[in-house]
Amino acid sequence: MPNPALYDMNLADLEALLRDWGQPAFRARQIYRQLYVNLVHDPALMTDLPSRLRERLATETTFDALRRVRTQEADGGTTRKAIFALPDGAVIETVLMIYPDRATVCVSTQAGCAMGCVFCATGKRGLLRNLSTGEMVEQVLWASRELRHWQDAGSGLQDADDRRDDGTRWWADAPIPVRQISRVSNIVFMGMGEPLANYDRWWAAVQRLHDPQGFNMGARSMTVSTVGLADGIRRLAHEGLPINLAISLHAPDDALRSALVPINEHFPLADLLAATREYTALTGRRVSFEYVLLQGRNDHPHQALALAKLLRGHTAEGADRGVPLLCHVNLIPWNPVPGSPLGRSEHLRVAAFQQVLLDYGVACTVRVERGGEIAAACGQLAGGHAA
Ligand code: SAH
Ligand code: SF4
């Protein structure tokens, strides 16, 4: 029997383990605090525990399941990608993005992905396996420690290579002094994999990270991105924890969407949008639609108009009696994937697409990318097996 993985346990599990070991319940809470508040991952450093208990933890449980193979930096050190090897040799990636007023970690939920979207590096490799809850939680704890080290090393943004193209410094209009970002402030489940295809483990990770007795991440500071698994969206609508939902749409009609996102065959647009409407009706929350722009494929103005009509609830015949979806569109210029014949939409086409949506009354922004040169941007996380 392998040792139980500590990061796979919630507080109740930890209390049960400690009870088995004949320890009082408060010891479990001490350990939980060390793990999720103090971010300690070495039992030897849990100095508030008796040394016998520390030894037992070291020999009879597993702390880190993720072995860091490499860390890569970009954007003057403010984008940091970790490559982790899992015990079975699969490889996943986690990205920490540090901004003047916040720090966001992008978490992988699967090693690889089964969905096979044609524009995505992760999808090209297929699914190796689901990540465990602990493996997702550990990525966030790594990012938290990484942020702390980065701050302690004095590598505040003022020292970074931080000039915009026009020579101004991008942190200059920061609302608070940069060094005050003391913790990871946002978690996005947008790394490798499809979170809703690993629903139970992923949701347990959300709950763990949210737990006010532990890591205490606000629900509104967490975002999940899904390829559009309508059944998972319906399930999420009933969870009662208001995390943000982003849905990868990428096309305004079924023919094109099925060509780009094969799972559309199982959850066609009508089903997906019905599930989304159920979600907004039940939660009162606005969803984001992500739309990767591929030159000449899905970025024509008539496609922008079709998208706008779809989201405003209008029919092709032009009736304006539809009920608009409570939503926002996030346009993502495609990040190149080696060997792909697809192309990234030119700036002017992106702007024109956005304008059509705005003119039609659909809120729409263009995502500012990070980490392109270290393949840390959306859809560039490829992973694979450790060498
Ligand atoms: N599987 C989930 C979450 C991971 S992908 C999903 O598909 O939503 C996170 C986001 O990156 C998705 O919106 C996805 O469509 C987008 N993406 C994938 N490949 C991309 C690429 N090469 N360039 C830009 N965005 C990409
Ligand atoms: Fe999987 Fe998302 Fe990539 Fe599609 S875009 S292959 S769902 S990770």
Side-chain angles (χ1 to χ4, degrees):
M1 275 276 284
N3 284 342
L6 274 191
Y7 292 115
D8 266 335
M9 296 184 195
N10 60 22
L11 182 55
D13 298 332
L14 204 53
E15 281 170 348
L17 178 77
L18 275 275
R19 205 177 310 121
D20 285 351
W21 288 3
Q23 294 281 340
F26 75 87
R27 291 286 180 220
R29 288 194 296 276
Q30 274 180 307
I31 296 169
Y32 197 73
R33 223 186 130 68
Q34 286 286 11
L35 294 174
Y36 296 108
V37 180
N38 302 340
L39 309 177
V40 170
H41 58 139
D42 175 356
L45 300 178
M46 298 187 174
T47 47
D48 54 344
L49 303 179
S51 60
R52 292 265 302 279
L53 180 56
R54 280 186 260 163
E55 280 160 26
R56 197 155 182 198
L57 281 171
T59 52
E60 295 181 35
T61 67
T62 305
F63 276 70
D64 300 285
L66 306 184
R67 185 171 57 80
R68 186 145 49 88
V69 180
R70 201 162 62 233
T71 311
Q72 291 173 284
E73 297 181 15
D75 304 318
T78 58
T79 301
R80 310 178 76 80
K81 177 171 93 166
I83 301 173
F84 295 107
L86 307 178
D88 54 8
V91 170
I92 57 158
E93 303 178 341
T94 308
V95 184
L96 169 66
M97 290 158 283
I98 306 166
Y99 300 90
D101 56 343
R102 65 188 198 281
T104 299
V105 54
C106 180
V107 174
S108 294
T109 56
Q110 298 182 309
C113 182
M115 300 298 154
C117 305
V118 297
F119 48 81
C120 174
T122 308
K124 280 191 183 312
R125 293 176 174 257
L127 177 67
L128 282 170
R129 71 165 168 87
N130 284 319
L131 297 192
S132 67
T133 299
E135 288 164 342
M136 290 177 242
V137 167
E138 263 191 75
Q139 295 175 60
V140 177
L141 299 179
W142 164 78
S144 303
R145 288 190 288 263
E146 183 75 5
L147 178 66
R148 205 164 59 182
H149 294 153
W150 183 83
Q151 301 269 22
D152 290 350
S155 21
L157 296 176
Q158 283 88 341
D159 309 323
D161 176 13
D162 51 9
R163 285 184 193 276
R164 297 190 182 106
D165 289 348
D166 66 2
T168 59
R169 291 180 187 275
W170 59 268
W171 45 261
D173 26 50
I176 54 165
V178 164
R179 286 180 192 272
Q180 285 183 16
I181 330 163
S182 54
R183 54 171 287 161
V184 165
S185 50
N186 300 80
I187 299 172
V188 296
F189 295 94
M190 293 189 182
M192 296 169 65
E194 168 51 38
L196 302 190
N198 187 16
Y199 196 108
D200 293 335
R201 295 181 194 86
W202 163 71
W203 188 250
V206 170
Q207 288 178 307
R208 181 86 50 74
L209 293 163
H210 173 64
D211 185 356
Q213 296 192 70
F215 195 72
N216 194 22
M217 175 63 61
R220 288 183 162 79
S221 302
M222 292 191 264
T223 300
V224 64
S225 175
T226 175
V227 69
L229 305 187
D231 52 355
I233 292 171
R234 290 192 171 95
R235 201 171 154 189
L236 187 59
H238 290 92
E239 295 287 5
L241 195 62
I243 68 165
N244 304 304
L245 172 63
I247 299 169
S248 296
L249 203 58
H250 311 317
D253 61 79
D254 277 319
L256 179 59
R257 191 161 193 272
S258 292
L260 300 175
V261 180
I263 197 69
N264 189 65
E265 295 284 335
H266 293 271
F267 298 109
L269 278 172
D271 189 21
L272 173 56
L273 295 181
T276 308
R277 283 181 183 279
E278 282 175 47
Y279 178 91
T280 55
L282 255 164
T283 62
R285 295 183 64 74
R286 187 172 81 151
V287 299
S288 296
F289 286 110
E290 292 157 296
Y291 195 104
V292 168
L293 285 166
L294 301 161
Q295 174 108 352
R297 286 298 294 278
N298 65 354
D299 68 346
H300 293 286
H302 74 266
Q303 292 166 320
L305 187 60
L307 178 66
K309 286 182 173 174
L310 193 68
L311 301 183
R312 298 288 296 181
H314 295 182
T315 59
E317 290 72 47
D320 48 14
R321 287 188 297 274
V323 181
L325 243 163
L326 195 55
C327 73
H328 166 271
V329 174
N330 207 343
L331 299 175
I332 313 173
W334 181 66
N335 295 309
V337 171
S340 170
L342 298 165
R344 177 184 173 101
S345 296
E346 287 153 12
H347 180 68
L348 282 178
R349 293 176 74 95
V350 175
F353 197 95
Q354 181 185 24
Q355 198 56 50
V356 172
L357 286 162
L358 292 175
D359 288 347
Y360 214 85
V362 177
C364 175
T365 48
V366 180
R367 182 176 292 173
V368 178
E369 281 296 343
R370 279 287 193 101
E373 70 265 39
I374 55 169
C378 289
Q380 292 185 316
L381 306 180
H385 278 281

